[in-house]
Amino acid sequence: MASIENNAGDALVAAWKKTPSTKLTWSKSASNFLVEGGGAPSYFSSYGLDGELRSKPDIAAPGGNILSTLPTNHPGESPYGVKSGTSMATPYIAGSYALYMQAKGIKSRDVNMQPNKPRSDDIRQVLKNTAKRSSNINSKTLASVAKQGAGLVNVLNAIETTTSITPDHIDLLDSDHFHKTVKISIKNNGRHTETYT
């Protein structure tokens, strides 16, 4: 992957248009750069709770300034563009489910159908249990659960975890359905003793 500032990109395109024989070469050494707001909930992210006081969103995924495919009807029009919103974050979560299932040897036909196979809710629970809590943009203060849910999805954490926590969220619910107490279970599925704080 490569990324440059928009002005630099415009300058490269202008140079190429001026002299189409211009060759671009790329360094083979890796470098890192800061993406403004990367890893933090976007300013346009909605806040939960929903109308029944259930916690929403469940989990966060990259959804701001995402290079993605775009529909096009005209020849020569680029099928790629940078967009933001849930339409960008949702495919990331779907891909996270797929990567987790592949790593665990789960076939899609087994989910929700076969006994002793994980349900989609079970996979959601693992992804939520292993999400990384995010800070607000340009801040060390953690973003509200009402803004980021369990945190930013982390598939590697989900694949490697040996701990399960249920329930994966606690809903406030309205006064008619309010639960005064909730049982929280932590299970170590690993081979080693774990200490939880």
Side-chain angles (χ1 to χ4, degrees):
M1 177 182 157
S3 179
I4 58 175
E5 294 289 326
N6 192 50
N7 291 342
D10 289 343
L12 282 174
V13 170
W16 179 78
K17 284 183 177 178
K18 184 176 179 183
T19 313
S21 62
T22 301
K23 291 185 179 181
L24 301 176
T25 58
W26 308 105
S27 168
K28 292 186 179 183
S29 60
S31 61
N32 295 318
F33 59 94
L34 177 66
V35 175
E36 184 66 33
S42 298
Y43 70 90
F44 55 80
S45 295
S46 61
Y47 278 89
L49 307 163
D50 74 5
E52 298 295 325
L53 301 180
R54 290 182 296 233
S55 57
K56 291 292 174 191
D58 282 331
I59 194 166
N65 298 319
I66 304 296
L67 177 64
S68 184
T69 55
L70 300 174
T72 178
N73 294 327
H74 306 289
E77 201 173 64
S78 175
Y80 303 100
V82 175
K83 296 289 183 181
S84 298
T86 53
S87 295
M88 300 296 105
T90 301
Y92 199 95
I93 292 293
S96 298
Y97 268 74
L99 287 170
Y100 178 82
M101 290 169 59
Q102 179 185 29
K104 296 296 183 179
I106 303 166
K107 304 222 181 309
S108 60
R109 67 174 180 268
D110 293 340
V111 176
N112 298 332
M113 300 296 200
Q114 303 293 322
N116 302 322
K117 293 288 183 178
R119 299 178 53 77
S120 55
D121 287 348
D122 298 329
I123 298 171
R124 182 195 68 199
Q125 176 181 307
V126 173
L127 292 176
K128 288 177 68 176
N129 283 180
T130 57
K132 183 179 184 293
R133 292 170 46 200
S134 301
S135 296
N136 290 310
I137 294 175
N138 300 324
S139 172
K140 292 182 180 178
T141 304
L142 289 174
S144 167
V145 171
K147 183 98 169 166
Q148 69 173 326
L152 187 61
V153 67
N154 186 315
V155 181
L156 182 60
N157 282 357
I159 292 166
E160 294 180 344
T161 191
T162 58
T163 301
S164 63
I165 304 169
T166 54
D168 59 12
H169 64 280
I170 299 172
D171 292 327
L172 298 175
L173 302 176
D174 59 36
S175 55
D176 288 341
H177 301 97
F178 179 74
H179 298 289
K180 191 171 186 177
T181 59
V182 176
K183 178 182 176 182
I184 298 174
S185 298
I186 302 174
K187 183 177 180 186
N188 176 11
N189 299 306
R191 297 180 181 177
H192 305 290
T193 301
E194 296 284 349
T195 301
Y196 300 100
T197 303

